[in-house]
Amino acid sequence: MPTDFIAHHHPLTDVEILEDGRLRISARTASGQAIDSAWIRYELDNEEYLTALEPAESSAGAQCWRVEIPTNPGAATTYYLFKFICAKRQFCLDAGGVHSRIRSRSFHFKHVQGLQTPQWVWDQVFYQIFPDRFRIGDDVFASISQEPDEDKEQTPLSDWDAIPDPSRGSSEFFGGDLNGVTDALPYLHDELGVSAIYLNPIFASHSNHRYDTDDYSQVEPRLGGEPALLRLREETRARDMRLILDAVVNHTSVHHSWFQQAQAGNEQYRAFYNFNSEGRYAAWKGFESLPKLNYANPEVAAAMYSGDNAILRHWLRPPYAVDGWRLDAVHMLGEGPSAHNNATHMRGMRECVKQEAPQTYLLGEHFFEATEWLQGDQEDGAMNYYGFAHPLRAWLAGLDISGHPGAIDGREFAAWLAEARAAVPCPIQLSQLNLLDTHDTPRFLTLLQGDRDLYKLALGLLFTYSGAPCLYYGDEIGLPGGGDPDCRRPFPWDRERWDIDILNWCKTLIALRKSTPALCRGGHIDLWADTDCYCFARTAKEGSVIIAANRGDAATALLDTRLLGAPGGYWRDLLSGDIFTTDEHTLALSLPSKSVLILLPE
């Protein structure tokens, strides 16, 4: 890299839906490129059509092209790309960049008719909280907590400063609760700048992680019950913050009343699960404590999402009116003991949730590729392991998600990111939840063996890449941790134990993202990639931002800036204040070792 041909198209701003339903589409090419002909290739009823692009306005650095095409009459999605002929060479611009041939349809730009995504997601900074390990609420609010469930064994709380004990696993409690989350809002919102909270499960359960739900209609008493959730909802709403809950829709616990009645021989509730003739039942990944629900039974679908009083509907209604659902293991739910007809129920969930609250954020948990759930008819976004966290881990830590060796260079990193971006429609790209780590993975700083410079580089990419950034509690203060349960250490509220440099870097990045439209809603242009460096730009009408990352020794990157709309040719690094000047549209960047530069037009 760089490529021989420079072109860009941002479906969010370069596609206009006309009154007759046709699409007016624009693209830009860098000036100085001798283009013999320019075309848009699109498909109607699975057949290829080519229409010539017409040159429109031009600027010092770019030529704009425009065309009108019909939408696909036989399907919701219209696929298209751009083809440019230059000196007997072909250059095709698809959603993954410029290539010398027409690639698979999966890489093409995708316009989905009627696609409605909650655009508020694009502007958020999310913060994931594992409630038992975040903060114990102040005593003044203890009175709103409910009495402990008499059916549950009340184990003594571990010391807040202790490391989680692997031998105790899900039965070890530290005492964090929802009142503690509310008490921390001045830190999260007013100081750090967080605008949306994602809570790991809060419904009644015997475990500390609560992915084994006992009762979907009850907030866990140990967390403060419904009054504590209501207080949190009121306080987040007062700060214009969003709140996302976690729903386990694939399985329940063995303590759930449905399963208890099934075990007692109630045939109605046995049909909620997957019992065989020997009385054994299907369970999530074979864990007998997590019996799998059977969506072939219409009563299960009604209870979970389709009925008027369904669980997913209930918490979207006042007084709680949560803003979204993170759906755990959602790719595994289905009819019978498998994921059979998964897409049918995912579409049903989407339809019912959007009917209840159209702006609800429907977020899927997928440890691996989630493309088929992200085409506009099922999820609004996914926890973006495959399209962000996995490639970042491979590039900076040299590991795959299983902890096996998996090192890649900067070119492979750029290609992986581009492949994942291209696979989904642009509005869903922007709705992906990007993350470094979660309750299910080692802390990223620990994966980097404590390398703070590489960690700050990773944070820089988290807050500038396409999609909504999400910090896992403690990421912003350098909290370490290995695999589960070590990645679930209690948050240390003694500021003497915080890495203030990392905290200040996060504050800077959050403020930059919230004040820069290109980072929230902008397009993406890859500018440079080599062994140790990756440089890209986020583009919007309000201005562009250049992000240049270098994992290795000091290096130089040469960036073509013709499509970035900075007429003065001056770029300022956010952190150092250094000014860089273009020379005939080429920006030569000196990249310090293990660094990320974030450049704004001066």
Side-chain angles (χ1 to χ4, degrees):
M1 234 171 90
T3 181
D4 294 333
F5 188 83
I6 309 296
H8 179 54
H9 168 72
H10 182 27
L12 193 65
T13 56
D14 292 341
V15 176
E16 178 185 0
I17 303 175
L18 304 177
E19 290 185 1
D20 62 1
R22 292 168 60 85
L23 305 178
R24 179 178 292 152
I25 299 178
S26 302
R28 288 178 295 143
T29 55
S31 60
Q33 300 178 137
I35 299 175
D36 299 324
S37 61
W39 307 84
I40 187 169
R41 179 203 183 273
Y42 55 100
E43 295 183 15
L44 305 179
D45 294 330
N46 304 312
E47 179 62 25
E48 175 189 69
Y49 291 82
L50 287 171
T51 299
L53 299 175
E54 297 294 333
E57 66 272 10
S58 63
S59 61
Q63 170 68 56
C64 182
W65 304 82
R66 192 164 290 129
V67 69
E68 293 182 11
I69 65 169
T71 55
N72 191 354
T77 301
T78 302
Y79 295 90
Y80 64 95
L81 56 75
F82 303 92
K83 180 193 290 188
F84 300 93
I85 307 301
C86 309
K88 297 184 180 181
R89 293 185 65 190
Q90 178 179 124
F91 298 95
C92 294
L93 170 64
D94 61 26
V98 176
H99 299 271
S100 60
R101 64 178 180 86
I102 297 175
R103 300 194 296 168
S104 163
R105 178 192 284 175
S106 62
F107 293 101
H108 296 192
F109 293 107
K110 303 163 185 66
H111 174 79
V112 182
Q113 298 177 56
L115 173 60
Q116 297 292 325
T117 55
Q119 296 185 14
W120 60 263
V121 172
W122 306 345
D123 301 320
Q124 304 305 308
V125 173
F126 284 83
Y127 193 90
Q128 179 190 350
I129 293 175
F130 193 90
D132 183 63
R133 308 294 162 83
F134 184 59
R135 181 165 172 159
I136 299 174
D138 294 340
D139 291 341
V140 68
F141 294 107
S143 61
I144 73 170
S145 299
Q146 295 183 1
E147 293 298 320
D149 190 330
E150 295 180 356
D151 293 332
K152 295 178 181 176
E153 181 181 353
Q154 299 301 308
T155 56
L157 298 180
S158 294
D159 183 83
W160 191 260
D161 293 326
I163 301 297
D165 182 353
S167 69
R168 298 180 65 188
S170 64
S171 64
E172 183 177 26
F173 292 88
F174 284 81
D177 55 28
L178 296 182
N179 286 317
V181 177
T182 304
D183 295 339
L185 291 182
Y187 162 69
L188 292 173
H189 178 268
D190 306 346
E191 180 180 349
L192 186 57
V194 167
S195 60
I197 292 174
Y198 150 45
L199 295 173
N200 286 106
I202 63 170
F203 300 119
S205 169
H206 279 63
S207 73
N208 57 36
H209 56 70
R210 300 185 175 89
Y211 282 102
D212 46 353
T213 309
D214 295 348
D215 186 349
Y216 295 98
S217 66
Q218 180 187 19
V219 176
E220 170 58 47
R222 281 178 285 213
L223 295 180
E226 286 82 1
L229 177 60
L230 185 57
R231 176 178 174 240
L232 175 60
R233 176 71 282 198
E234 291 172 346
E235 292 296 326
T236 52
R237 190 177 290 118
R239 288 174 166 82
D240 196 27
M241 297 179 72
R242 304 287 184 158
L243 183 62
I244 309 299
L245 299 186
D246 204 328
V248 185
V249 292
N250 177 67
H251 50 266
T252 69
S253 79
V254 293
H255 302 287
H256 196 289
S257 64
W258 297 344
F259 191 78
Q260 291 288 300
Q261 293 179 75
Q263 288 287 67
N266 185 309
E267 292 300 324
Q268 177 186 0
Y269 287 103
R270 286 182 75 82
F272 272 49
Y273 299 92
N274 298 276
F275 286 90
N276 63 21
S277 58
E278 299 174 351
R280 299 185 61 83
Y281 54 89
W284 178 76
K285 298 181 76 168
F287 289 92
E288 293 186 351
S289 61
L290 303 173
K292 181 177 171 60
L293 290 166
N294 179 12
Y295 279 82
N297 182 350
E299 291 188 48
V300 172
M304 297 302 293
Y305 68 85
S306 64
D308 184 60
N309 295 313
I311 293 154
L312 295 187
R313 292 180 183 269
H314 172 75
W315 298 101
L316 295 174
R317 296 170 178 169
Y320 307 103
V322 300
D323 297 293
W325 287 110
R326 183 261 197 188
L327 302 175
D328 179 69
V330 71
H331 54 290
M332 301 181 73
L333 73 79
E335 299 177 2
S338 71
H340 179 62
N341 274 345
N342 176 272
T344 297
H345 295 283
M346 286 304 306
R347 294 185 186 106
M349 284 188 187
R350 180 181 185 84
E351 180 181 357
C352 293
V353 163
K354 299 296 185 178
Q355 180 187 71
E356 193 68 43
Q359 288 300 306
T360 298
Y361 182 33
L362 208 56
L363 173 70
E365 182 215 16
H366 301 271
F367 253 96
F368 304 99
E369 185 179 0
T371 299
E372 65 187 270
W373 290 271
L374 299 173
Q375 297 304 309
D377 61 339
Q378 298 181 48
E379 298 166 7
D380 293 313
M383 299 187 75
N384 200 13
Y385 287 105
Y386 177 78
F388 182 77
H390 289 185
L392 189 65
R393 176 189 288 212
W395 189 51
L396 294 183
L399 299 170
D400 70 8
I401 189 61
S402 301
H404 298 153
I408 59 176
D409 66 20
R411 299 178 189 86
E412 293 169 306
F413 179 54
W416 189 340
L417 293 174
E419 176 186 307
R421 282 196 314 275
V424 301
C426 177
I428 291 179
Q429 285 181 34
L430 299 173
S431 303
Q432 294 279 68
L433 193 73
N434 293 335
L435 42 92
L436 299 180
D437 42 34
T438 69
H439 63 291
D440 285 326
T441 71
R443 296 276 183 173
F444 204 78
L445 180 59
T446 297
L447 289 174
L448 296 175
Q449 300 180 19
D451 191 321
R452 296 171 66 261
D453 292 330
L454 283 181
Y455 186 60
K456 290 173 70 174
L457 186 163
L459 287 165
L461 293 178
L462 175 68
F463 283 98
T464 56
Y465 190 68
S466 301
C470 182
L471 291 168
Y472 179 43
Y473 77 95
D475 282 350
E476 77 279 12
I477 60 168
L479 185 64
D484 176 18
D486 197 36
C487 57
R488 305 175 184 182
R489 299 184 189 185
F491 189 101
W493 286 99
D494 178 2
R495 291 191 178 229
E496 294 296 321
R497 298 170 59 189
W498 295 8
D499 189 318
I500 299 301
D501 181 50
I502 290 176
L503 176 63
N504 288 336
W505 179 231
C506 286
K507 290 180 182 179
T508 297
L509 292 169
I510 290 172
L512 173 68
R513 181 178 178 87
K514 293 169 74 172
S515 64
T516 309
L519 295 180
C520 299
R521 298 164 177 255
H524 183 107
I525 303 178
D526 279 342
L527 299 174
W528 182 272
D530 59 24
T531 300
D532 291 325
C533 300
Y534 174 55
C535 307
F536 63 97
R538 300 293 306 281
T539 64
K541 292 179 179 178
E542 296 85 352
S544 299
V545 182
I546 293 174
I547 300 93
N550 174 24
R551 72 176 183 182
D553 296 333
T556 299
L558 303 176
L559 314 184
D560 190 314
T561 63
R562 282 176 289 177
L563 295 184
L564 303 187
Y570 297 99
W571 296 83
R572 176 178 54 85
D573 177 40
L574 170 72
L575 188 60
S576 68
D578 292 344
I579 301 296
F580 297 86
T581 306
T582 58
D583 180 10
E584 295 185 356
H585 305 299
T586 298
L587 182 63
L589 285 184
S590 298
L591 304 180
S593 173
K594 297 182 180 179
S595 68
V596 59
L597 303 185
I598 302 173
L599 307 177
L600 304 174
E602 183 69 6

